[in-house]
Amino acid sequence: MNPGTTVILDRDGTLLDFYEMFHQFVLDLHRDERVSPPPREVVLGYAYWKAITSGSLHIGGVRVLDRVDDVAHRYMAHGTLYEGAVPAITALFGAGVRLALVSSWVGTAPTVELLRRNGVGHCFGEVVTRDDLPGRGEDASDADVKITLARQALVRIGHRTDDRLFVVGDTAADVALGRGLDAAVVGVRTGNGHMLPDAPPEGPDTMLPSVAGLVDVVLGPG
């Protein structure tokens, strides 16, 4: 047993493979607006996502940014956990590790249902997203949202200052969260992890191909 360890996990790109969710959302918007969608590889490219977040992408008469939260709220049934995520979560929970999921995007209730559907809902002491931020924090950065929610989650799950703490994710916001919490930062190459630097200080302390390898890092020596 290892009751003195806590792991904070990111959702999208770390545990959750959201590509089919997002693709289906875009296809449905094109269908509703009666326009033809671009190829799948274009939709799933980083440039397409940046066009959405900048507010410049329109599908028919819809500014996609105004509807993008629908991906997390309405399309979670199309999402899957990455291969190896369920065994890793189960093993960590079985070893007494406290687990929290913290996302700077929305979708707390659908995320809880996704985890339950995959048999690991009981493993998480806290599941929080931007939905749970006081005032919703629409203008807050991803990094600020994550650190606010993570600090709340740590208190609620009983994390102590002398416990070991890991933050696991695929983006710079996850690295910033780990640094802000004085945690060991574990990066994954899934999601947007291919864009992370390989090493500190801008990159994580440890890089994994996926969350499937997390057990050895958290429960291994040291």
Side-chain angles (χ1 to χ4, degrees):
M1 298 291 288
N2 193 359
T5 301
T6 302
V7 176
I8 296 175
L9 289 145
D10 171 56
R11 182 187 64 192
D12 306 311
T14 301
L15 289 178
L16 175 64
D17 183 346
F18 57 87
Y19 288 114
E20 285 307 319
M21 298 166 52
F22 179 68
H23 189 226
Q24 190 60 52
F25 159 76
V26 171
L27 290 180
D28 287 351
L29 271 184
H30 280 84
R31 181 201 63 206
D32 294 345
E33 293 297 303
R34 300 180 183 277
V35 292
S36 298
R40 186 177 188 275
E41 59 269 22
V42 172
V43 172
L44 299 183
Y46 186 66
Y48 195 86
W49 177 252
K50 289 298 290 182
I52 292 175
T53 57
S54 71
S56 65
L57 183 66
H58 290 70
I59 297 175
V62 175
R63 189 176 79 135
V64 182
L65 182 60
D66 297 334
R67 300 276 292 276
V68 74
D69 284 355
D70 285 355
V71 178
H73 283 308
R74 297 177 52 196
Y75 287 81
M76 198 69 76
H78 296 277
T80 58
L81 299 185
Y82 282 108
E83 184 177 357
V86 168
I89 293 166
T90 303
L92 292 172
F93 176 74
V97 175
R98 301 183 190 94
L99 298 172
L101 185 153
V102 176
S103 175
S104 58
W105 204 7
V106 296
T108 300
T111 303
V112 169
E113 173 57 23
L114 172 78
L115 297 172
R116 186 203 64 78
R117 192 169 71 242
N118 282 273
V120 293
H122 65 287
C123 298
F124 288 86
E126 278 287 299
V127 175
V128 287
T129 75
R130 193 177 285 255
D131 287 344
D132 304 295
L133 197 67
R136 291 294 302 278
E138 284 87 351
D139 297 327
S141 70
D142 287 350
D144 287 343
V145 169
K146 283 206 161 186
I147 201 158
T148 298
L149 293 176
R151 285 174 173 159
Q152 293 173 359
L154 289 174
V155 171
R156 291 170 183 165
I157 65 177
H159 177 78
R160 300 180 297 267
T161 55
D162 57 346
D163 289 339
R164 298 169 73 216
L165 178 61
F166 295 83
V167 170
V168 187
D170 69 309
T171 68
D174 299 312
V175 176
L177 172 62
R179 302 285 176 245
L181 297 176
D182 196 24
V185 182
V186 181
V188 291
R189 288 299 187 196
T190 51
N192 290 315
H194 62 281
M195 293 189 290
L196 284 176
D198 289 327
E202 291 82 9
D205 301 305
T206 303
M207 184 66 78
L208 296 173
S210 75
V211 75
L214 189 59
V215 173
D216 289 341
V217 174
V218 175
L219 301 182

